């Protein structure tokens, strides 16, 4: 178990005390807020902003009774956490997973506030989750759960107020059911734009070109911008991936198109390895057919330990939070840790890797492509437009490159790591908007 070895500034401790929270080092939400408060100290933002940012504005807890196919009923617990909306409507994914904790959802909502601010999108931050293993439900059960959840959320979501999107365990079909349920109860005057209540919808029902691959594509644009300064050529890199779902499989396919060598992949079913390279497209087919990477015949099965020890240029986690702890970090043999998943690295693991000379590229920069194309989808829905794929890609690239440069600039200004720099770049924007808007009441 990791223990505290970090001394936070007195301002961090003061804010925790003022908000009545006892700082727990193991608590991901506390760790995240502490790091953001440290960025606030670098920027010397007003005390009021530190207080506002240290807690979500709203935390909703919902219980959804759903009839199963066999006639029995189950009660599902769900959360929607709305962290901050100073920049625009709340925005963030909905996750379906068996192991959900409120503090985890709170963390993911803060990270959305940071991500949207860093990318200069007109959105705030939110996150939702339902405690359920979606793989254990039939299609009908999933639909009834999703409709019940949407109806329970009621006016707590809306195209001008809070806009969910897919995340772990949810997909375009689930977004289509959410939008359909919301449209049914929407006022006639907003029915046309009501589909903008969620993003990540299927293309035929108000989705955007490029949304499915957006998170992976955005990450590739960030790598194109940052790797040359580290002396690494993108088309010659070797890399390993944790997770081969939406984000992981798109990172795989897009990096394959650039000539990169995927050496090892691990997901919830096991780990596989091929020194000569794993075919990302074939693996995507295999995972779609079987549910995981296990049994892929063009690579050999390896242990979790061997997976972490594989020598690669880039190590890309694209699964769940906090998977890279100190024990795993000590085994890792890479030049750059590229966070495709949200919060995949514990603070001690990050500290260890930085000391070893491994660069850590933070998730709020690397995976912002998803929410950026979600913004494009929302914009298209409002204007009843459909942009073509090239247009979406070009706009996405612009946002990702500018965000990467913002982070680089902050890292230089404060001589700090990329995570601290990304929080500082986000908080500087949020601070400016609070200052411009002034205080109320
Ligand atoms: P997904 O459900 O499509 O895939 C999740 C992957 O994680 C699967 O391959 C699964 O096998 C793997 N996984 C789960 N438990 C595991 C374990 N114990 N060990 C190893 N692998 C495990 O989810 P996704 O949409 O690809 O999201 C992945 C990450 O990216 C999450 O952190 C999510 O919040 C983040 N993210 C997603 C998007 C998006 O557009 N989907 C955008 C930004 C960030």
């Amino acid at each position: 178990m990791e223990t505290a070895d970090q001394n936070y500034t007195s301002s961090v401790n003061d804010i925790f005390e003022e908000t009545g929270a006892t700082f727990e080092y193991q608590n991901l939400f506390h760790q995240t807020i502490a790091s953001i408060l440290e960025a606030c100290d670098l920027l010397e933002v007003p005390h009021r902003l530190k207080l506002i940012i240290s807690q979500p504005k709203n935390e909703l807890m919902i219980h959804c009774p759903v009839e199963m196919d066999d006639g029995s009923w189950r009660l599902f617990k769900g959360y929607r956490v709305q962290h901050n909306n100073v920049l625009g409507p709340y925005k963030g994914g909905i996750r379906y997973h068996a192991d959900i904790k409120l503090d985890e959802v709170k963390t993911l909502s803060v990270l959305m506030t940071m991500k949207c601010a860093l990318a200069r999108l007109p959105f705030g931050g939110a996150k939702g989750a339902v405690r359920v293993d979606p793989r254990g439900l039939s299609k009908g059960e999933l639909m009834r759960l999703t409709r019940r959840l949407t109806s329970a959320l009621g006016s707590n979501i809306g195209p001008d107020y809070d806009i969910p999107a897919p995340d772990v365990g949810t997909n375009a079909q689930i977004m289509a059911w959410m939008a359909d349920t919301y449209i049914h109860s929407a006022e006639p005057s907003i029915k046309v734009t009501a589909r903008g209540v969620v993003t990540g919808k299927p293309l035929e029902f108000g989705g955007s070109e490029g949304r499915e691959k957006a998170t992976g594509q955005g990450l590739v644009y960030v790598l194109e911008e940052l790797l040359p300064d580290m002396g690494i050529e993108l088309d010659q890199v070797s890399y390993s991936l944790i997770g081969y779902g939406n984000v992981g499989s798109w990172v795989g396919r897009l990096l394959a198109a650039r000539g990169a060598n995927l050496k090892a992949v691990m997901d919830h079913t096991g780990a596989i390895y091929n020194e000569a390279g794993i075919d990302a497209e074939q693996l995507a087919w295999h995972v779609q057919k079987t549910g995981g990477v296990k049994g892929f015949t063009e690579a050999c099965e390896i242990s979790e330990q061997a997976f972490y020890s594989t020598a690669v240029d880039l190590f890309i986690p694209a699964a769940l939070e906090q998977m890279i702890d100190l024990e795993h970090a000590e085994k890792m043999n890479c030049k750059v840790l590229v966070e495709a998943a949200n919060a995949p690295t514990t603070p001690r693991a990050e500290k260890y890797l930085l000391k070893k000379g491994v660069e850590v590229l933070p998730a709020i920069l690397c995976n912002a492509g998803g929410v950026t194309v979600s913004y494009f989808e929302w914009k298209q829905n409002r204007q009843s437009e459909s942009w073509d794929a090239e247009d979406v890609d070009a706009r996405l690239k612009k946002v990702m490159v500018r965000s990467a440069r913002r982070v680089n600039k902050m890292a230089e200004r404060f001589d700090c790591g990329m995570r601290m720099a990304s929080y500082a770049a986000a908080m500087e924007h949020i601070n400016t908007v609070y200052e411009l808007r002034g205080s109320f009441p």
Side-chain angles (χ1 to χ4, degrees):
M1 195 190 233
E2 296 194 358
T3 52
D5 66 351
Q6 178 141 6
N7 294 320
Y8 289 108
T9 54
S10 61
S11 141
V12 172
N13 295 323
D14 290 350
I15 296 290
F16 269 82
E17 213 175 297
E18 278 182 63
T19 53
T22 311
F23 184 79
E24 294 162 26
Y25 184 76
Q26 293 288 328
N27 184 312
L28 180 58
F29 177 65
H30 291 183
Q31 290 166 8
T32 309
I33 292 297
S35 298
I36 293 168
L37 289 173
E38 287 197 312
C40 289
D41 284 343
L42 288 177
L43 295 164
E44 298 179 13
V45 303
H47 172 250
R48 130 180 126 111
L49 178 54
K50 290 193 240 176
L51 278 178
I52 290 170
I53 219 74
S54 67
Q55 287 291 340
K57 281 201 169 175
N58 307 307
E59 298 171 31
L60 298 166
M61 192 190 292
I62 292 153
H63 293 96
C64 304
V66 179
E67 189 172 15
M68 299 289 104
D69 290 346
D70 65 3
S72 66
W73 284 78
R74 279 177 65 187
L75 192 65
F76 295 94
K77 186 188 278 290
Y79 301 105
R80 185 72 181 167
V81 177
Q82 296 164 333
H83 177 255
N84 189 277
N85 61 350
V86 74
L87 300 182
Y90 298 110
K91 183 87 190 85
I94 295 246
R95 174 175 294 196
Y96 284 0
H97 196 272
D99 183 20
I100 296 288
K101 294 178 192 71
L102 176 58
D103 270 344
E104 191 179 280
V105 187
K106 283 166 70 173
T107 308
L108 295 167
S109 75
V110 183
L111 291 174
M112 283 306 295
T113 301
M114 295 297 116
K115 205 178 292 184
C116 294
L118 173 61
R120 304 296 191 255
L121 304 177
F123 287 141
K127 199 77 179 189
V130 177
R131 193 172 293 155
V132 57
D133 177 3
R135 287 183 281 246
L137 298 192
S138 70
K139 192 173 177 185
E141 289 166 343
L142 259 184
M143 180 181 76
R144 292 195 290 281
L145 167 62
T146 302
R147 289 197 186 281
R148 190 77 199 208
L149 171 74
T150 312
S151 134
L153 284 167
S155 60
N156 291 296
I157 56 172
D160 292 315
Y161 183 64
D162 183 357
I163 307 142
D167 191 69
V168 174
T170 52
N171 55 25
Q173 172 62 78
I174 288 173
M175 293 305 112
W177 290 327
M178 283 193 85
D180 182 68
T181 310
Y182 183 83
I183 289 167
H184 274 288
S185 52
E187 294 290 323
S189 59
I190 71 150
K191 277 202 195 287
V192 174
T193 51
R195 61 173 66 180
V197 65
V198 287
T199 57
K201 297 181 292 293
L203 198 52
E204 300 80 356
F205 178 41
S208 175
E209 286 286 355
R211 175 59 186 89
E212 207 193 308
K213 66 164 185 164
T215 308
Q217 185 68 70
L219 180 139
V220 172
Y221 289 143
V222 168
L223 294 179
E224 279 176 355
E225 180 63 22
L226 298 182
L227 289 189
D229 282 350
M230 301 174 200
I232 302 172
E233 297 280 333
L234 185 55
D235 42 13
Q236 284 167 22
V237 290
S238 61
Y239 69 106
S240 52
L241 265 173
I242 310 181
Y244 214 72
N246 172 292
V247 178
S249 68
W250 274 110
V251 168
R253 281 172 276 185
L254 293 164
L255 285 182
R258 298 297 307 265
N261 181 7
L262 175 56
K263 277 191 172 176
V265 185
M266 182 172 82
D267 74 357
H268 71 287
T269 63
I272 57 169
Y273 169 82
N274 186 340
E275 181 64 28
I278 294 167
D279 186 315
E281 196 66 56
Q282 273 185 33
L283 182 61
W285 276 108
H286 174 81
V287 170
Q288 205 177 23
K289 234 173 36 207
T290 67
V293 302
K294 194 181 164 77
F296 184 62
T297 51
E298 307 302 310
C300 55
E301 271 183 41
I302 53 169
S303 66
E304 183 180 305
Q305 175 153 344
F307 170 80
Y308 278 101
S309 313
T310 303
V312 283
D313 298 310
L314 313 180
F315 188 100
I316 311 182
L320 301 176
E321 294 79 38
Q322 304 291 274
M323 291 188 75
I324 301 168
D325 57 16
L326 182 60
E327 203 185 317
H328 291 138
E330 282 171 349
K331 295 193 185 85
M332 280 161 58
N333 187 355
C334 65
K335 294 178 185 153
V336 189
L337 170 64
V338 186
E339 292 187 342
N342 286 308
T345 318
T346 68
R348 282 199 83 193
E350 179 172 8
K351 208 171 168 188
Y352 171 84
L353 290 168
L354 290 174
K355 215 166 158 185
K356 215 173 111 181
V358 174
E359 187 61 84
V360 178
L361 302 184
I364 67 160
L365 170 63
C366 295
N367 71 23
V371 70
T372 301
V373 178
S374 273
Y375 164 57
F376 298 159
E377 176 177 332
W378 177 79
K379 216 170 152 173
Q380 290 169 76
N381 290 165
R382 290 177 96 77
Q383 297 162 348
S384 295
E385 280 185 9
S386 307
W387 304 346
D388 60 32
E390 291 74 25
D391 194 8
V392 170
D393 268 1
R395 290 173 191 249
L396 172 64
K397 185 170 183 172
K398 211 182 258 181
V399 172
M400 299 310 294
V401 167
R402 285 181 182 166
S403 303
R405 288 182 185 161
R406 247 171 237 135
V407 174
N408 252 344
K409 226 165 138 184
M410 274 294 175
E412 271 173 34
R413 176 169 152 199
F414 291 119
D415 189 21
C416 63
M418 301 291 258
R419 189 181 314 280
M420 194 52 63
S422 65
Y423 287 152
M427 284 309 303
E428 189 175 58
H429 181 53
I430 291 175
N431 184 39
T432 305
V433 176
Y434 267 110
E435 289 298 307
L436 288 168
R437 287 179 63 161
S439 47
F440 176 83

